[in-house]
Short mmCIF file of all heavy atoms in Angstrom, two decimals:
data_model
loop_
_atom_site.label_atom_id
_atom_site.label_comp_id
_atom_site.label_asym_id
_atom_site.label_seq_id
_atom_site.Cartn_x
_atom_site.Cartn_y
_atom_site.Cartn_z
N MET A 1 -129.32 56.40 -85.10
CA MET A 1 -128.04 56.25 -84.50
C MET A 1 -128.18 55.41 -83.26
O MET A 1 -129.14 55.54 -82.50
CB MET A 1 -127.51 57.69 -84.17
CG MET A 1 -126.34 57.69 -83.27
SD MET A 1 -125.69 59.33 -82.75
CE MET A 1 -126.73 60.53 -83.50
N LYS A 2 -127.21 54.51 -83.03
CA LYS A 2 -127.20 53.65 -81.85
C LYS A 2 -125.98 53.96 -81.04
O LYS A 2 -124.87 53.97 -81.57
CB LYS A 2 -127.19 52.18 -82.26
CG LYS A 2 -127.26 51.21 -81.09
CD LYS A 2 -127.34 49.79 -81.61
CE LYS A 2 -127.50 48.84 -80.43
NZ LYS A 2 -127.64 47.44 -80.92
N ILE A 3 -126.15 54.25 -79.74
CA ILE A 3 -125.06 54.55 -78.84
C ILE A 3 -124.93 53.46 -77.79
O ILE A 3 -125.96 53.07 -77.19
CB ILE A 3 -125.33 55.92 -78.11
CG1 ILE A 3 -125.54 57.06 -79.09
CG2 ILE A 3 -124.23 56.20 -77.13
CD1 ILE A 3 -124.34 57.47 -79.84
N SER A 4 -123.73 52.94 -77.60
CA SER A 4 -123.45 51.95 -76.59
C SER A 4 -122.55 52.57 -75.53
O SER A 4 -121.57 53.24 -75.84
CB SER A 4 -122.74 50.70 -77.16
OG SER A 4 -123.58 50.10 -78.11
N ILE A 5 -122.92 52.38 -74.25
CA ILE A 5 -122.12 52.90 -73.14
C ILE A 5 -121.68 51.72 -72.31
O ILE A 5 -122.55 50.94 -71.80
CB ILE A 5 -122.94 53.91 -72.33
CG1 ILE A 5 -123.33 55.10 -73.19
CG2 ILE A 5 -122.11 54.36 -71.11
CD1 ILE A 5 -124.28 56.08 -72.55
N PHE A 6 -120.38 51.54 -72.15
CA PHE A 6 -119.85 50.44 -71.35
C PHE A 6 -119.55 50.99 -69.96
O PHE A 6 -118.68 51.84 -69.80
CB PHE A 6 -118.61 49.87 -72.02
CG PHE A 6 -118.93 49.20 -73.33
CD1 PHE A 6 -118.90 49.92 -74.53
CD2 PHE A 6 -119.30 47.85 -73.36
CE1 PHE A 6 -119.23 49.33 -75.71
CE2 PHE A 6 -119.61 47.27 -74.52
CZ PHE A 6 -119.60 47.99 -75.74
N GLY A 7 -120.23 50.44 -69.00
CA GLY A 7 -120.13 50.89 -67.59
C GLY A 7 -121.35 51.67 -67.26
O GLY A 7 -121.63 52.74 -67.78
N ALA A 8 -122.18 51.10 -66.37
CA ALA A 8 -123.46 51.74 -66.06
C ALA A 8 -123.45 52.35 -64.63
O ALA A 8 -124.49 52.46 -64.03
CB ALA A 8 -124.58 50.70 -66.16
N GLY A 9 -122.32 52.70 -64.13
CA GLY A 9 -122.23 53.35 -62.84
C GLY A 9 -122.66 54.80 -62.94
O GLY A 9 -123.38 55.19 -63.85
N ASN A 10 -122.18 55.60 -62.01
CA ASN A 10 -122.60 57.02 -62.01
C ASN A 10 -122.15 57.77 -63.28
O ASN A 10 -122.90 58.55 -63.82
CB ASN A 10 -122.04 57.71 -60.77
CG ASN A 10 -122.71 57.24 -59.51
OD1 ASN A 10 -123.84 56.80 -59.52
ND2 ASN A 10 -121.97 57.29 -58.40
N VAL A 11 -120.92 57.52 -63.70
CA VAL A 11 -120.41 58.18 -64.89
C VAL A 11 -121.13 57.73 -66.14
O VAL A 11 -121.54 58.52 -67.01
CB VAL A 11 -118.88 57.98 -65.03
CG1 VAL A 11 -118.38 58.57 -66.33
CG2 VAL A 11 -118.16 58.62 -63.85
N GLY A 12 -121.35 56.42 -66.27
CA GLY A 12 -122.06 55.88 -67.42
C GLY A 12 -123.49 56.39 -67.49
O GLY A 12 -123.98 56.69 -68.57
N ALA A 13 -124.15 56.43 -66.35
CA ALA A 13 -125.53 56.92 -66.33
C ALA A 13 -125.57 58.43 -66.71
O ALA A 13 -126.48 58.85 -67.46
CB ALA A 13 -126.14 56.71 -64.97
N ALA A 14 -124.64 59.20 -66.22
CA ALA A 14 -124.57 60.62 -66.55
C ALA A 14 -124.33 60.82 -68.03
O ALA A 14 -124.91 61.69 -68.66
CB ALA A 14 -123.55 61.35 -65.71
N CYS A 15 -123.40 60.02 -68.58
CA CYS A 15 -123.10 60.10 -70.01
C CYS A 15 -124.34 59.70 -70.83
O CYS A 15 -124.62 60.31 -71.86
CB CYS A 15 -121.93 59.17 -70.39
SG CYS A 15 -120.36 59.79 -69.80
N GLY A 16 -125.06 58.69 -70.35
CA GLY A 16 -126.26 58.28 -71.04
C GLY A 16 -127.34 59.36 -71.04
O GLY A 16 -127.96 59.60 -72.10
N PHE A 17 -127.50 60.05 -69.92
CA PHE A 17 -128.46 61.13 -69.86
C PHE A 17 -128.05 62.30 -70.74
O PHE A 17 -128.88 62.89 -71.46
CB PHE A 17 -128.68 61.60 -68.43
CG PHE A 17 -129.75 62.63 -68.30
CD1 PHE A 17 -131.08 62.30 -68.49
CD2 PHE A 17 -129.42 63.94 -67.98
CE1 PHE A 17 -132.06 63.26 -68.39
CE2 PHE A 17 -130.38 64.92 -67.89
CZ PHE A 17 -131.72 64.58 -68.07
N ALA A 18 -126.77 62.67 -70.70
CA ALA A 18 -126.29 63.74 -71.59
C ALA A 18 -126.46 63.41 -73.04
O ALA A 18 -126.88 64.22 -73.84
CB ALA A 18 -124.81 64.05 -71.27
N THR A 19 -126.17 62.16 -73.38
CA THR A 19 -126.33 61.72 -74.77
C THR A 19 -127.80 61.78 -75.14
O THR A 19 -128.16 62.21 -76.27
CB THR A 19 -125.83 60.28 -74.92
OG1 THR A 19 -124.45 60.24 -74.58
CG2 THR A 19 -125.99 59.75 -76.34
N LEU A 20 -128.65 61.34 -74.27
CA LEU A 20 -130.10 61.38 -74.52
C LEU A 20 -130.55 62.82 -74.78
O LEU A 20 -131.31 63.06 -75.73
CB LEU A 20 -130.85 60.80 -73.32
CG LEU A 20 -132.38 60.80 -73.35
CD1 LEU A 20 -132.87 59.88 -74.41
CD2 LEU A 20 -132.91 60.42 -71.99
N CYS A 21 -130.12 63.76 -74.00
CA CYS A 21 -130.54 65.14 -74.12
C CYS A 21 -129.97 65.84 -75.34
O CYS A 21 -130.64 66.59 -76.03
CB CYS A 21 -130.14 65.91 -72.87
SG CYS A 21 -131.06 65.44 -71.40
N GLU A 22 -128.71 65.59 -75.62
CA GLU A 22 -128.01 66.31 -76.71
C GLU A 22 -128.18 65.67 -78.08
O GLU A 22 -128.44 66.37 -79.06
CB GLU A 22 -126.51 66.46 -76.38
CG GLU A 22 -126.24 67.33 -75.18
CD GLU A 22 -126.65 68.77 -75.37
OE1 GLU A 22 -126.49 69.31 -76.50
OE2 GLU A 22 -127.20 69.33 -74.41
N LEU A 23 -127.97 64.36 -78.18
CA LEU A 23 -127.95 63.70 -79.49
C LEU A 23 -129.31 63.09 -79.88
O LEU A 23 -129.56 62.93 -81.07
CB LEU A 23 -126.91 62.63 -79.54
CG LEU A 23 -125.46 63.07 -79.28
CD1 LEU A 23 -124.53 61.85 -79.33
CD2 LEU A 23 -125.05 64.08 -80.35
N LYS A 24 -130.16 62.78 -78.91
CA LYS A 24 -131.46 62.15 -79.14
C LYS A 24 -131.32 60.95 -80.10
O LYS A 24 -131.94 60.94 -81.18
CB LYS A 24 -132.44 63.17 -79.63
CG LYS A 24 -132.73 64.27 -78.58
CD LYS A 24 -133.69 65.31 -79.14
CE LYS A 24 -134.01 66.39 -78.16
NZ LYS A 24 -133.11 66.86 -77.24
N PRO A 25 -130.52 59.96 -79.74
CA PRO A 25 -130.32 58.81 -80.64
C PRO A 25 -131.56 57.92 -80.72
O PRO A 25 -132.48 58.07 -79.95
CB PRO A 25 -129.15 58.07 -80.00
CG PRO A 25 -129.31 58.38 -78.56
CD PRO A 25 -129.80 59.79 -78.47
N ASP A 26 -131.53 56.97 -81.67
CA ASP A 26 -132.62 56.00 -81.81
C ASP A 26 -132.60 54.99 -80.66
O ASP A 26 -133.62 54.60 -80.13
CB ASP A 26 -132.57 55.28 -83.12
CG ASP A 26 -132.67 56.22 -84.30
OD1 ASP A 26 -133.53 57.13 -84.25
OD2 ASP A 26 -131.93 56.07 -85.28
N VAL A 27 -131.35 54.56 -80.29
CA VAL A 27 -131.19 53.55 -79.28
C VAL A 27 -129.98 53.89 -78.40
O VAL A 27 -128.95 54.30 -78.93
CB VAL A 27 -130.95 52.12 -79.85
CG1 VAL A 27 -130.76 51.08 -78.82
CG2 VAL A 27 -132.12 51.76 -80.78
N ILE A 28 -130.12 53.71 -77.06
CA ILE A 28 -129.01 53.78 -76.16
C ILE A 28 -128.94 52.42 -75.46
O ILE A 28 -129.93 51.92 -74.94
CB ILE A 28 -129.18 54.89 -75.07
CG1 ILE A 28 -129.20 56.26 -75.75
CG2 ILE A 28 -128.06 54.84 -74.04
CD1 ILE A 28 -129.45 57.39 -74.78
N VAL A 29 -127.74 51.82 -75.44
CA VAL A 29 -127.53 50.53 -74.81
C VAL A 29 -126.51 50.69 -73.67
O VAL A 29 -125.40 51.19 -73.91
CB VAL A 29 -127.01 49.46 -75.82
CG1 VAL A 29 -126.78 48.18 -75.12
CG2 VAL A 29 -128.00 49.31 -76.95
N LEU A 30 -126.91 50.32 -72.49
CA LEU A 30 -126.02 50.33 -71.32
C LEU A 30 -125.52 48.91 -71.06
O LEU A 30 -126.31 47.98 -70.96
CB LEU A 30 -126.72 50.82 -70.07
CG LEU A 30 -127.13 52.29 -70.07
CD1 LEU A 30 -127.92 52.60 -68.79
CD2 LEU A 30 -125.91 53.20 -70.14
N VAL A 31 -124.20 48.77 -70.99
CA VAL A 31 -123.58 47.47 -70.78
C VAL A 31 -122.72 47.52 -69.51
O VAL A 31 -121.93 48.48 -69.39
CB VAL A 31 -122.69 47.04 -72.00
CG1 VAL A 31 -122.07 45.69 -71.78
CG2 VAL A 31 -123.52 47.04 -73.26
N ASP A 32 -122.84 46.55 -68.64
CA ASP A 32 -122.08 46.50 -67.43
C ASP A 32 -121.98 45.05 -66.97
O ASP A 32 -122.82 44.21 -67.31
CB ASP A 32 -122.75 47.32 -66.31
CG ASP A 32 -121.81 47.64 -65.17
OD1 ASP A 32 -121.61 46.77 -64.31
OD2 ASP A 32 -121.30 48.76 -65.17
N ILE A 33 -120.91 44.74 -66.27
CA ILE A 33 -120.72 43.37 -65.77
C ILE A 33 -121.85 43.01 -64.78
O ILE A 33 -122.26 41.89 -64.68
CB ILE A 33 -119.33 43.20 -65.13
CG1 ILE A 33 -119.04 41.71 -64.94
CG2 ILE A 33 -119.24 43.98 -63.84
CD1 ILE A 33 -117.61 41.44 -64.65
N ASN A 34 -122.37 44.04 -64.13
CA ASN A 34 -123.49 43.85 -63.21
C ASN A 34 -124.79 44.15 -64.00
O ASN A 34 -125.15 45.32 -64.20
CB ASN A 34 -123.38 44.82 -62.01
CG ASN A 34 -124.49 44.67 -61.02
OD1 ASN A 34 -125.50 44.04 -61.26
ND2 ASN A 34 -124.30 45.26 -59.85
N GLU A 35 -125.45 43.11 -64.49
CA GLU A 35 -126.61 43.27 -65.39
C GLU A 35 -127.77 44.01 -64.68
O GLU A 35 -128.51 44.75 -65.31
CB GLU A 35 -127.05 41.96 -65.92
CG GLU A 35 -126.11 41.36 -66.95
CD GLU A 35 -126.67 40.11 -67.62
OE1 GLU A 35 -127.84 39.73 -67.35
OE2 GLU A 35 -125.91 39.48 -68.35
N LYS A 36 -127.94 43.76 -63.39
CA LYS A 36 -129.01 44.41 -62.68
C LYS A 36 -128.81 45.93 -62.60
O LYS A 36 -129.76 46.69 -62.69
CB LYS A 36 -129.16 43.82 -61.29
CG LYS A 36 -129.73 42.42 -61.28
CD LYS A 36 -129.91 41.90 -59.88
CE LYS A 36 -130.48 40.50 -59.89
NZ LYS A 36 -130.69 40.00 -58.55
N LEU A 37 -127.59 46.35 -62.45
CA LEU A 37 -127.25 47.78 -62.40
C LEU A 37 -127.59 48.39 -63.75
O LEU A 37 -128.21 49.45 -63.83
CB LEU A 37 -125.78 47.99 -62.03
CG LEU A 37 -125.31 49.43 -62.09
CD1 LEU A 37 -126.02 50.28 -61.02
CD2 LEU A 37 -123.78 49.51 -61.95
N ALA A 38 -127.12 47.75 -64.81
CA ALA A 38 -127.33 48.26 -66.17
C ALA A 38 -128.83 48.32 -66.48
O ALA A 38 -129.33 49.29 -67.05
CB ALA A 38 -126.64 47.39 -67.21
N SER A 39 -129.58 47.32 -66.05
CA SER A 39 -131.03 47.27 -66.27
C SER A 39 -131.72 48.42 -65.48
O SER A 39 -132.63 49.09 -66.03
CB SER A 39 -131.57 45.93 -65.84
OG SER A 39 -132.93 45.86 -66.07
N GLY A 40 -131.32 48.63 -64.25
CA GLY A 40 -131.92 49.70 -63.44
C GLY A 40 -131.64 51.08 -63.99
O GLY A 40 -132.54 51.93 -64.09
N GLU A 41 -130.40 51.31 -64.43
CA GLU A 41 -130.04 52.58 -65.01
C GLU A 41 -130.75 52.81 -66.33
O GLU A 41 -131.18 53.93 -66.67
CB GLU A 41 -128.55 52.74 -65.18
CG GLU A 41 -127.78 52.82 -63.89
CD GLU A 41 -128.10 54.04 -63.01
OE1 GLU A 41 -128.65 55.05 -63.56
OE2 GLU A 41 -127.81 54.01 -61.83
N ALA A 42 -130.93 51.74 -67.08
CA ALA A 42 -131.67 51.82 -68.37
C ALA A 42 -133.13 52.20 -68.11
O ALA A 42 -133.69 53.02 -68.87
CB ALA A 42 -131.57 50.51 -69.10
N LEU A 43 -133.74 51.65 -67.06
CA LEU A 43 -135.13 52.04 -66.73
C LEU A 43 -135.21 53.51 -66.35
O LEU A 43 -136.14 54.20 -66.77
CB LEU A 43 -135.61 51.17 -65.56
CG LEU A 43 -136.08 49.75 -65.89
CD1 LEU A 43 -136.37 48.99 -64.60
CD2 LEU A 43 -137.28 49.79 -66.82
N ASP A 44 -134.21 53.99 -65.58
CA ASP A 44 -134.21 55.41 -65.22
C ASP A 44 -134.11 56.29 -66.46
O ASP A 44 -134.81 57.28 -66.60
CB ASP A 44 -133.07 55.72 -64.29
CG ASP A 44 -133.26 55.14 -62.89
OD1 ASP A 44 -134.41 54.77 -62.56
OD2 ASP A 44 -132.25 55.07 -62.15
N LEU A 45 -133.21 55.93 -67.38
CA LEU A 45 -133.08 56.69 -68.59
C LEU A 45 -134.29 56.57 -69.47
O LEU A 45 -134.67 57.57 -70.14
CB LEU A 45 -131.83 56.23 -69.40
CG LEU A 45 -130.49 56.69 -68.89
CD1 LEU A 45 -129.37 56.04 -69.69
CD2 LEU A 45 -130.37 58.20 -68.95
N ALA A 46 -134.94 55.43 -69.52
CA ALA A 46 -136.16 55.28 -70.32
C ALA A 46 -137.27 56.16 -69.79
O ALA A 46 -138.05 56.75 -70.60
CB ALA A 46 -136.58 53.82 -70.29
N HIS A 47 -137.36 56.32 -68.45
CA HIS A 47 -138.37 57.22 -67.90
C HIS A 47 -138.05 58.70 -68.27
O HIS A 47 -138.94 59.46 -68.57
CB HIS A 47 -138.42 57.07 -66.39
CG HIS A 47 -139.09 55.79 -65.98
ND1 HIS A 47 -138.48 54.89 -65.18
CD2 HIS A 47 -140.32 55.31 -66.27
CE1 HIS A 47 -139.27 53.86 -64.99
NE2 HIS A 47 -140.41 54.09 -65.64
N ALA A 48 -136.79 59.07 -68.29
CA ALA A 48 -136.42 60.42 -68.70
C ALA A 48 -136.59 60.63 -70.17
O ALA A 48 -136.94 61.73 -70.63
CB ALA A 48 -134.95 60.68 -68.34
N ALA A 49 -136.43 59.59 -70.97
CA ALA A 49 -136.56 59.67 -72.42
C ALA A 49 -137.98 60.07 -72.81
O ALA A 49 -138.18 60.72 -73.87
CB ALA A 49 -136.17 58.38 -73.05
N VAL A 50 -138.98 59.70 -72.03
CA VAL A 50 -140.37 60.07 -72.36
C VAL A 50 -140.50 61.57 -72.49
O VAL A 50 -141.22 62.04 -73.36
CB VAL A 50 -141.33 59.48 -71.28
CG1 VAL A 50 -142.73 60.01 -71.48
CG2 VAL A 50 -141.30 57.99 -71.30
N ALA A 51 -139.84 62.34 -71.63
CA ALA A 51 -139.95 63.78 -71.67
C ALA A 51 -138.96 64.43 -72.61
O ALA A 51 -139.22 65.45 -73.23
CB ALA A 51 -139.71 64.34 -70.27
N VAL A 52 -137.76 63.82 -72.78
CA VAL A 52 -136.70 64.46 -73.50
C VAL A 52 -136.67 64.04 -74.98
O VAL A 52 -136.55 64.87 -75.88
CB VAL A 52 -135.32 64.11 -72.88
CG1 VAL A 52 -134.16 64.75 -73.65
CG2 VAL A 52 -135.28 64.63 -71.45
N SER A 53 -136.80 62.76 -75.25
CA SER A 53 -136.70 62.22 -76.58
C SER A 53 -137.55 60.98 -76.69
O SER A 53 -137.07 59.85 -76.56
CB SER A 53 -135.25 61.92 -76.94
OG SER A 53 -135.14 61.35 -78.22
N PRO A 54 -138.85 61.16 -76.92
CA PRO A 54 -139.80 60.01 -76.85
C PRO A 54 -139.50 58.86 -77.80
O PRO A 54 -139.88 57.72 -77.54
CB PRO A 54 -141.16 60.61 -77.18
CG PRO A 54 -141.01 62.05 -76.91
CD PRO A 54 -139.56 62.40 -77.15
N ARG A 55 -138.82 59.11 -78.91
CA ARG A 55 -138.56 58.05 -79.85
C ARG A 55 -137.32 57.20 -79.50
O ARG A 55 -137.06 56.17 -80.09
CB ARG A 55 -138.38 58.61 -81.26
CG ARG A 55 -137.11 59.42 -81.45
CD ARG A 55 -136.98 59.91 -82.89
NE ARG A 55 -135.82 60.76 -83.01
CZ ARG A 55 -134.62 60.32 -83.24
NH1 ARG A 55 -134.38 59.05 -83.35
NH2 ARG A 55 -133.59 61.15 -83.36
N THR A 56 -136.56 57.63 -78.48
CA THR A 56 -135.35 56.88 -78.09
C THR A 56 -135.70 55.67 -77.28
O THR A 56 -136.46 55.72 -76.31
CB THR A 56 -134.43 57.78 -77.24
OG1 THR A 56 -134.06 58.91 -78.07
CG2 THR A 56 -133.17 57.06 -76.83
N LYS A 57 -135.13 54.52 -77.69
CA LYS A 57 -135.30 53.27 -76.94
C LYS A 57 -134.05 53.06 -76.11
O LYS A 57 -132.93 53.18 -76.59
CB LYS A 57 -135.52 52.12 -77.93
CG LYS A 57 -135.80 50.80 -77.33
CD LYS A 57 -136.10 49.77 -78.38
CE LYS A 57 -136.41 48.45 -77.74
NZ LYS A 57 -136.71 47.40 -78.71
N VAL A 58 -134.26 52.72 -74.83
CA VAL A 58 -133.10 52.51 -73.91
C VAL A 58 -133.10 51.09 -73.49
O VAL A 58 -134.10 50.54 -72.98
CB VAL A 58 -133.16 53.45 -72.71
CG1 VAL A 58 -131.98 53.26 -71.82
CG2 VAL A 58 -133.35 54.93 -73.13
N LEU A 59 -131.94 50.38 -73.69
CA LEU A 59 -131.78 49.00 -73.30
C LEU A 59 -130.62 48.83 -72.33
O LEU A 59 -129.65 49.61 -72.37
CB LEU A 59 -131.52 48.11 -74.54
CG LEU A 59 -132.51 48.20 -75.65
CD1 LEU A 59 -131.99 47.47 -76.87
CD2 LEU A 59 -133.86 47.62 -75.19
N GLY A 60 -130.73 47.83 -71.45
CA GLY A 60 -129.64 47.57 -70.57
C GLY A 60 -129.79 46.20 -69.89
O GLY A 60 -130.88 45.66 -69.86
N GLY A 61 -128.70 45.65 -69.40
CA GLY A 61 -128.73 44.40 -68.71
C GLY A 61 -129.02 43.25 -69.69
O GLY A 61 -128.48 43.17 -70.79
N ALA A 62 -129.96 42.38 -69.31
CA ALA A 62 -130.28 41.22 -70.15
C ALA A 62 -131.05 41.61 -71.40
O ALA A 62 -131.10 40.86 -72.38
CB ALA A 62 -131.12 40.26 -69.32
N ASP A 63 -131.65 42.81 -71.43
CA ASP A 63 -132.36 43.28 -72.62
C ASP A 63 -131.46 43.57 -73.79
O ASP A 63 -131.81 43.45 -74.93
CB ASP A 63 -133.19 44.55 -72.27
CG ASP A 63 -134.23 44.33 -71.24
OD1 ASP A 63 -134.70 43.15 -71.14
OD2 ASP A 63 -134.61 45.27 -70.58
N ALA A 64 -130.23 44.03 -73.44
CA ALA A 64 -129.27 44.40 -74.49
C ALA A 64 -128.68 43.22 -75.06
O ALA A 64 -128.37 42.81 -75.99
CB ALA A 64 -128.21 45.33 -73.91
#
C-alpha cells in the first residue's frame, strides 16, 4: 500500500506518524510546496519507521 500526504507541516507529520504506526504501509510520500520541509519530515518519519515498521519506505521533497 502507498500513502501520499499533501502538506508536511505539523498536521501532515502527525498524520504520517499515525499512518506509520497503524497501517504500516509499504511507502509513505510527503508532498509540500516547501520541499525542504517535506524532506526533513520524511527523514524524521524514516527514523521512526526503523522501530515501528522497518519495511516502510518514507519519501519526501525532491525524493518523491
Side-chain angles (χ1 to χ4, degrees):
M1 166 182 2
K2 183 176 184 178
I3 303 290
S4 298
I5 299 173
F6 294 90
N10 291 332
V11 174
C15 289
F17 184 70
T19 300
L20 177 67
C21 292
E22 294 296 320
L23 299 179
K24 297 177 178 33
D26 298 318
V27 179
I28 296 176
V29 178
L30 292 175
V31 179
D32 196 280
I33 195 165
N34 183 345
E35 288 186 8
K36 289 183 180 181
L37 175 66
S39 181
E41 292 297 341
L43 281 173
D44 289 344
L45 283 176
H47 286 122
V50 172
V52 177
S53 177
R55 68 178 177 84
T56 300
K57 184 174 181 180
V58 183
L59 303 171
D63 297 334

